[in-house]
Amino acid sequence: MRSVKFFIVAGAASLLSSMACAADMAIAPPPMGYAPPPADFGGWYLRGDIGFSNQRVDNVRNTNPALYANLTSFQEKTGFDTGGIYQIGAGYQFNHWFRVDVTGEYRGNTNFHGLDLISFPNGGATGFGSDVYNAQKSEWLFLANAYADLGTWYCITPYIGAGIGTARVTIANFTDQGVGSLGGGGVGPSLVSAATGSQWNFAWALHAGLAYKVNPNMTVELGYSYVDLGNGTTGVDSAFDHSAGGHVFQFHNITSQDVKLGVRWNLESPPAYMPPPLVTKG
């Protein structure tokens, strides 16, 4: 009988000890829901770019058709020096692959050089002559652009894009120094100059490049653009001896292959990611 009482007392003591230990333990709260980490894209951004141009023009012609009427041959070589490009813009990133922006760009003065080699009838013989052109050209270019980002590898995102807009092309300091007479008269030197002229054109561009995300707020771009700037025109021309003039020289189909280095600043930083709370014992 004494052993039975001993086992009953021991069992009761063990039960009371377990209940006291359980009372000391904190009740764990149920798991709390939390939002997934925010996407690292979206929102408004600003951009700035600098670069250089590689330009060409199809041909340069005076608007007086009589100057070309009696030519038996005509060869033309033209070219531009490299010019600086300075661009600013603002845009919106819709998702991880599509964004749009508008840009304003000043394309600095570039020197133009041209050479015409001609032949023409001169009495019973053939006359030969040449014209050497010099000028300066600059533009303002405004485009609305759309881009497709093609995926990201090691923080580098290749992209393609296209833009449409308008360009104001300015031709200044134009001179035409020639030997010979395009109309078939006597051979002799001539010098024609033209006033500064500007015109607005429809413009379009194709873009491609690589973007590197430095941090969530800053992306660096190395880009290429093919740009069609339309036509350019001088002001009214005049000969140094006032023997001719009253027309303009037209630059037909000016295009450029541009390389630019730019930075995009995200104006809407993503919120910081907060991990779920840890569950601890009291």
Side-chain angles (χ1 to χ4, degrees):
M1 186 69 177
R2 181 177 300 175
S3 62
V4 172
K5 290 181 180 180
F6 174 79
F7 283 115
I8 292 175
V9 171
S14 176
L15 177 61
L16 291 174
S17 175
S18 298
M19 292 177 63
C21 182
D24 291 338
M25 295 179 60
I27 299 176
M32 297 179 63
Y34 63 94
D40 60 350
F41 56 79
W44 295 98
Y45 64 85
L46 299 177
R47 68 177 305 144
D49 304 79
I50 59 173
F52 60 89
S53 62
N54 179 22
Q55 303 174 91
R56 67 177 301 274
V57 61
D58 282 357
N59 58 68
V60 178
R61 296 288 187 272
N62 193 284
T63 54
N64 181 5
L67 297 178
Y68 308 95
N70 297 321
L71 298 182
T72 55
S73 69
F74 186 96
Q75 299 178 23
E76 184 177 67
K77 297 180 180 180
T78 59
F80 293 93
D81 293 344
T82 297
I85 297 172
Y86 314 93
Q87 176 181 275
I88 59 174
Y92 190 83
Q93 180 94 37
F94 286 92
N95 50 45
H96 68 279
W97 68 271
F98 182 68
R99 57 189 169 90
V100 298
D101 61 34
V102 292
T103 56
E105 182 176 288
Y106 175 70
R107 306 170 64 86
N109 279 329
T110 56
N111 294 321
F112 167 78
H113 312 283
L115 173 65
D116 289 344
L117 299 175
I118 59 176
S119 63
F120 51 88
N122 186 20
T126 299
F128 298 93
S130 65
D131 288 89
V132 177
Y133 302 125
N134 287 282
Q136 290 184 322
K137 182 181 67 64
S138 62
E139 297 94 17
W140 285 97
L141 175 64
F142 302 94
L143 293 174
N145 307 284
Y147 307 89
D149 294 328
L150 305 179
T152 300
W153 295 268
Y154 303 100
C155 298
I156 297 176
T157 304
Y159 67 86
I160 57 174
I164 58 172
T166 184
R168 180 175 173 82
V169 180
T170 298
I171 308 295
N173 302 319
F174 181 90
T175 60
D176 171 9
Q177 185 171 3
V179 176
S181 173
L182 294 178
V187 176
S190 65
L191 177 63
V192 174
S193 62
T196 299
S198 299
Q199 73 176 57
W200 287 97
N201 304 312
F202 171 76
W204 58 270
L206 299 175
H207 310 293
L210 299 173
Y212 178 78
K213 179 166 284 190
V214 179
N215 56 52
N217 296 323
M218 178 180 174
T219 301
V220 177
E221 284 187 9
L222 177 63
Y224 162 85
S225 297
Y226 176 85
V227 186
D228 190 311
L229 298 161
N231 299 330
T233 184
T234 68
V236 175
D237 65 354
S238 61
F240 74 101
D241 59 358
H242 305 290
S243 60
H247 296 84
V248 299
F249 285 85
Q250 293 182 331
F251 288 59
H252 294 134
N253 192 27
I254 301 168
T255 59
S256 183
Q257 300 188 61
D258 302 338
V259 176
K260 291 178 286 188
L261 181 65
V263 177
R264 283 189 274 133
W265 294 274
N266 182 16
L267 299 181
E268 300 184 24
S269 301
Y273 167 57
M274 298 296 292
L278 298 175
V279 177
T280 61
K281 294 183 179 181

